[in-house]
């Protein structure tokens, strides 16, 4: 079994999602992730999300299954899972990046393109995509 993995997915916010809901997501993610050894980042903008989770394989996959059941978003698409030697977001229980809506659409398109490029959706290319997500302001 692989010890450390990174998982990248995208989704769209539920129509009823509020700023308070987003803050709740971030707070509960930070608490749960610290307990489960998970780090990562959530990018949000224009009614869309891109998220990276990294940590022990079992914990990341369990967390992702819970995320799939969360009604605060929809249309979840798994972009890729890759083994990691070192965490990209090691200091973030759950970082947050606000992304301008037009930039978010560009990022989503490039990630969806990765779904059709098997080489880009795994390994070093996926890690580069993950690192590019943090270019922006965090909180």
């Amino acid at each position: 079994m692989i010890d450390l993995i990174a998982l990248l997915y995208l989704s769209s916010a539920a129509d009823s999602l509020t700023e308070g809901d987003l803050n709740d997501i971030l707070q509960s993610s930070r608490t749960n992730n610290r307990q489960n050894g998970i780090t990562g980042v959530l990018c949000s903008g224009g009614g869309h999300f891109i998220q990276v989770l990294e940590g022990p394989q079992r914990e990341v996959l369990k967390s992702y299954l819970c995320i799939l059941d969360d009604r605060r978003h929809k249309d979840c698409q798994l972009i890729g899972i890759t083994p990691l030697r070192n965490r990209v977001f090691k200091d973030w229980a759950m970082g947050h990046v606000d992304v301008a809506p037009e930039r978010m659409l560009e990022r989503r398109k490039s990630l969806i393109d990765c779904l059709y490029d098997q080489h880009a959706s795994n390994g070093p290319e996926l890690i580069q995509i993950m690192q590019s997500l943090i270019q922006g302001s965090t909180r």
Side-chain angles (χ1 to χ4, degrees):
M1 182 188 288
I2 300 166
D3 289 336
L4 193 62
I5 65 166
L7 181 148
L8 186 142
Y9 75 91
L10 52 87
S11 65
S12 297
D15 295 335
S16 61
L17 187 84
T18 66
E19 185 70 24
D21 292 330
L22 179 58
N23 289 330
D24 290 344
I25 290 168
L26 291 168
Q27 187 58 40
S28 63
S29 295
R30 289 172 179 144
T31 299
N32 294 332
N33 289 353
R34 281 186 192 101
Q35 293 172 354
N36 296 313
I38 296 174
T39 54
V41 64
L42 176 68
C43 301
S44 63
H48 299 286
F49 297 115
I50 300 171
Q51 185 168 24
V52 177
L53 300 172
E54 55 186 19
Q57 179 176 345
R58 180 181 173 129
E59 298 304 324
V60 168
L61 295 177
K62 282 176 29 182
S63 180
Y64 183 63
L65 289 175
C66 290
I67 288 166
L68 289 173
D69 288 336
D70 192 325
R71 294 177 187 253
R72 295 173 290 191
H73 70 137
K74 59 189 177 186
D75 303 327
C76 198
Q77 293 181 286
L78 178 64
I79 302 301
I81 299 173
T82 189
L84 287 179
R85 287 189 194 151
N86 301 300
R87 294 175 189 253
V88 176
F89 305 105
K90 65 182 178 180
D91 296 324
W92 295 358
M94 183 49 58
H96 180 236
V97 178
D98 287 310
V99 180
E102 61 278 359
R103 182 71 175 128
M104 179 61 89
L105 291 176
E106 292 170 11
R107 288 180 177 182
R108 286 177 55 87
K109 182 186 179 314
S110 67
L111 289 170
I112 290 169
D113 290 345
C114 285
L115 285 173
Y116 302 103
D117 181 352
Q118 189 68 353
H119 181 68
S121 64
N122 291 297
E125 293 82 3
L126 188 59
I127 292 170
Q128 288 176 343
I129 291 169
M130 292 175 189
Q131 289 171 323
S132 75
L133 295 176
I134 61 172
Q135 295 173 351
S137 62
T138 61
R139 61 176 169 149

